Amino acid sequence: VLLTLRYLAKGDFFLKLETSMVCPSRQCPDTCMTWCWRLTTGFPEIDVERRSTATAFYRLSRIPRVIGAIDCTLIPITTPTSHEASYACRKGYHALNVQAVVDTKLRFIDAVARWPGATNDATIFEMSGLKDYLEANAVGVLLGDSGYALRNYLLTPILRPTANAQVAYNDAHARGRVVVERAFGVLKSRFRCLHRSAGCLMFSPAKCQQIVICCMKLHNLCIDNGLDFNEQVLPDDQPDTFQPVAHVGLVHHQTCRNAVVQSFT
């Protein structure tokens, strides 16, 4: 377990790690992954939890009924032995494209880590169980960037704001959505194995998926136990690029967003 935690935090090669710790087996990471997999991420499914999360987001952004901020991040991995092209991401390396929902405490409350790096953010959401859940249950809204299609349960920024209320809405939206960007930054800085500065995850895509989820749950465990991350947060390797999306049901969903925008007049 100690060996695995050191690897997750440093991203060092196993050969280097073995010189500083006594490891009975190279299979130690499997034991730690199995343990961490049982930790809960805590998506707010109970009414009181949703109200608490929505209240925290409202204080931050003044947007009502927000239960999380959603985004994707690229996790570098070694070149896979099969379906190599599908893992080549838009930034020029092989990766997993990991979708996550974050609350105001920077906790990961929902995550999907199984998609190759070439997959579009909007596609991951369209294929997720989270989308089906939000469509079937009027539990609140997510805040997402312009890589996602506008929905009545997923609010995106206005691309070309003109009115003062639209500008104010975009500013409020950015204040709420920034928590997911901060969470990814802290996650990759706390667990350097996920950051490009440490190279890449030297495992199969399936094992890499487990490592990502393991780090997210350990990150949540740190927050729940008051272990603040006081070190420098590492920047991502390159700025992301805009991903155009198809605006399904645009008129209806614009009406829902306009109702929120009107509260900023």
Side-chain angles (χ1 to χ4, degrees):
V1 171
L2 291 176
L3 176 63
T4 299
L5 291 175
R6 179 176 172 85
Y7 170 73
L8 297 179
K10 301 297 183 181
D12 291 328
F13 289 107
F14 284 119
L15 183 61
K16 180 178 179 181
L17 292 175
E18 288 173 351
T19 64
S20 59
M21 289 187 176
V22 177
C23 176
S25 169
R26 282 178 178 257
Q27 299 304 315
C28 284
D30 289 325
T31 303
C32 190
M33 296 305 151
T34 302
W35 173 69
C36 292
W37 198 265
R38 299 192 183 104
L39 298 177
T40 58
T41 52
F43 189 80
E45 296 182 350
I46 303 174
D47 286 343
V48 64
E49 294 176 348
R50 288 197 294 264
R51 287 197 297 269
S52 176
T53 301
T55 298
F57 269 105
Y58 187 79
R59 289 172 178 167
L60 181 64
S61 67
R62 313 305 292 179
I63 297 177
R65 301 183 62 244
V66 177
I67 57 174
I70 187 172
D71 203 357
C72 288
T73 189
L74 295 167
I75 305 297
I77 66 173
T78 191
T79 304
T81 56
S82 61
H83 306 291
E84 178 270 337
S86 65
Y87 288 90
C89 72
R90 58 188 177 273
K91 295 185 179 181
Y93 54 85
H94 295 92
L96 297 175
N97 196 9
V98 179
Q99 174 183 281
V101 179
V102 172
D103 64 18
T104 57
K105 297 179 181 178
L106 308 189
R107 293 181 74 258
F108 292 98
I109 58 178
D110 187 83
V112 179
R114 65 186 180 88
W115 289 93
T119 312
N120 185 276
D121 293 2
T123 300
I124 296 176
F125 181 72
E126 287 294 317
M127 301 296 292
S128 70
L130 176 61
K131 170 182 173 285
D132 296 336
Y133 174 77
L134 292 173
E135 284 189 342
N137 302 274
V139 295
V141 300
L142 301 177
L143 301 179
D145 64 19
S146 298
Y148 294 97
L150 174 65
R151 302 295 180 91
N152 58 355
Y153 50 80
L154 202 168
L155 298 178
T156 60
I158 298 173
L159 294 182
R160 288 174 289 275
T162 54
N164 291 337
Q166 293 177 339
V167 174
Y169 162 79
N170 274 5
D171 291 341
H173 186 283
R175 290 196 302 272
R177 191 178 60 83
V178 73
V179 297
V180 68
E181 298 173 357
R182 290 172 54 201
F184 283 142
V186 173
L187 175 73
K188 292 184 179 183
S189 300
R190 176 176 267 148
F191 300 104
R192 291 285 295 276
C193 68
L194 306 181
H195 195 272
R196 280 277 286 168
S197 62
C200 65
L201 294 176
M202 305 289 288
F203 304 96
S204 68
K207 176 61 72 63
C208 293
Q209 294 166 18
Q210 288 185 311
I211 291 174
V212 172
I213 297 297
C214 171
C215 290
M216 286 181 168
K217 293 180 177 181
L218 287 173
H219 168 90
N220 285 357
L221 190 64
C222 291
I223 292 176
D224 291 343
N225 286 274
L227 301 177
D228 296 331
F229 185 77
N230 298 317
E231 301 179 25
Q232 180 182 3
V233 176
L234 301 172
D236 206 352
D237 56 324
Q238 298 177 25
D240 209 348
T241 54
F242 172 74
Q243 300 179 75
V245 297
H247 293 277
V248 181
L250 182 61
V251 174
H252 168 65
H253 299 306
Q254 274 191 335
T255 300
C256 296
R257 184 174 64 182
N258 288 341
V260 178
V261 172
Q262 291 304 311
S263 67
F264 290 96
T265 55

